[in-house]
Amino acid sequence: MADHFQLRLVDSRMLVPTVRHLVFERADGQPLAFVPGQFLQVHFHYDDGTATKRSYSVATVGDGSSPVQRIEIAVSYVEGGAATKLLGELENGGVIDASGPYGRFCLQDADSHPRYLLLATGTGVTPYRAMLPQIEKLLAKGGREVVLLYGARTEAELLYGEEFEAFAQQHPGFIFHGCLSRQPRATPRSTDRSGHVQNVLAELGPSAERDIAYLCGNPNMVDAAFTVLKEFGLPVPQIRREKYISSR
């Protein structure tokens, strides 16, 4: 049974003009126990009083296993969106209702394949940020490789891009490909790729023997990448999916 609680905003910053990173603490002072990859639901009401909710992956980088005091999420602004009004205008000290954690979009201890393919667009990259401590432990065991393909239109829209690049520099088994569909960087990196994530995916030569794949973000990307992976022979149990749908 998921827990219901209130969250109090303690910090925030704009990642890009349309995405806000918010840092909360539980109003009751309790830590949040979650598995990286899980999400929370924010509960609120439309102007007419109708109850609604929105889901946000926990982006907090903890130690990968212990509860955390600070609960971080990334919120994309949707023009005229009710959640955008709530979370976009929330000031420090403001309180919202939430529940969770939910979801099974998590790294599985039983997986033994040598390579993980992590694909994301937009705020779909947030669960992978939370997974970084787990990925570090995974790589430390040896015999594993993790490749993150992150799709954005421009360099500025690669949310947490500097964090992933720094992690890649510190961990040779982690490869970060920024897949830019509109405009290349002013100073391109050797790991950059041009085009959409699902099109770059084929370059990696996915195989059922080698790969476990995680797909998170825009439903069109998730569906297209799922098709590509199946064409390469990956069975459905080796493809984990989480679709991010923008709601008003």
Side-chain angles (χ1 to χ4, degrees):
M1 191 79 176
D3 198 7
H4 285 253
F5 44 85
Q6 289 190 315
L7 294 175
R8 179 178 292 111
L9 186 67
V10 296
D11 196 11
S12 69
R13 69 182 190 273
M14 297 304 297
L15 298 176
V16 297
T18 57
V19 180
R20 188 184 187 191
H21 178 93
L22 299 104
V23 183
F24 295 93
E25 292 179 352
R26 283 178 57 146
D28 60 10
Q30 296 298 308
L32 176 76
F34 81 107
V35 180
Q38 289 188 311
F39 63 90
L40 301 181
Q41 289 186 333
V42 173
H43 302 260
F44 61 103
H45 293 82
Y46 289 121
D47 290 340
D48 65 3
T50 303
T52 187
K53 57 190 176 184
R54 297 289 185 273
S55 299
Y56 299 98
S57 291
V58 180
T60 305
V61 181
D63 66 5
S65 59
S66 300
V68 296
Q69 287 295 142
R70 294 206 154 192
I71 301 151
E72 303 174 31
I73 63 173
V75 177
S76 291
Y77 286 5
V78 177
E79 186 69 30
T84 296
K85 181 178 180 181
L86 172 71
L87 297 171
E89 299 177 2
L90 193 66
E91 296 183 355
N92 282 2
V95 174
I96 59 173
D97 295 318
S99 66
Y102 304 96
R104 295 179 294 178
F105 189 75
C106 308
L107 300 178
Q108 305 295 324
D109 291 338
D111 289 337
S112 58
H113 290 72
R115 186 172 68 169
Y116 289 77
L117 301 177
L118 311 180
L119 280 66
T121 55
T123 54
V125 81
T126 53
Y128 304 140
R129 181 178 187 254
M131 289 176 186
L132 287 177
Q134 290 183 320
I135 292 171
E136 183 174 40
K137 294 174 183 176
L138 194 71
L139 295 174
K141 295 177 181 178
R144 297 290 182 89
E145 181 183 16
V146 179
V147 183
L148 172 56
L149 297 180
Y150 183 24
R153 291 176 298 183
T154 66
E155 177 183 8
E157 294 181 0
L158 290 172
L159 309 180
Y160 312 112
E162 292 183 358
E163 293 182 37
F164 289 116
E165 288 170 355
F167 188 86
Q169 290 175 357
Q170 296 162 6
H171 303 85
F174 182 83
I175 300 170
F176 175 73
H177 291 302
C179 305
L180 303 174
S181 62
R182 291 271 182 92
Q183 183 181 347
R185 300 186 205 240
T187 305
R189 290 161 170 72
S190 61
T191 53
D192 286 349
R193 296 294 182 269
S194 177
H196 292 99
V197 167
Q198 59 268 28
N199 298 327
V200 177
L201 178 58
E203 173 190 323
L204 300 178
S207 73
E209 294 73 26
R210 185 181 187 187
D211 296 316
I212 292 284
Y214 285 75
L215 318 176
C216 191
N218 181 286
N220 293 331
M221 180 280 288
V222 171
D223 290 342
F226 182 67
T227 298
V228 172
L229 290 165
K230 286 197 299 181
E231 289 173 349
F232 273 93
L234 262 71
V236 173
Q238 288 172 220
I239 308 172
R240 288 81 190 260
R241 292 172 286 175
E242 191 103 308
K243 294 182 179 180
Y244 277 29
I245 301 172
S246 297
S247 300
R248 295 178 68 84

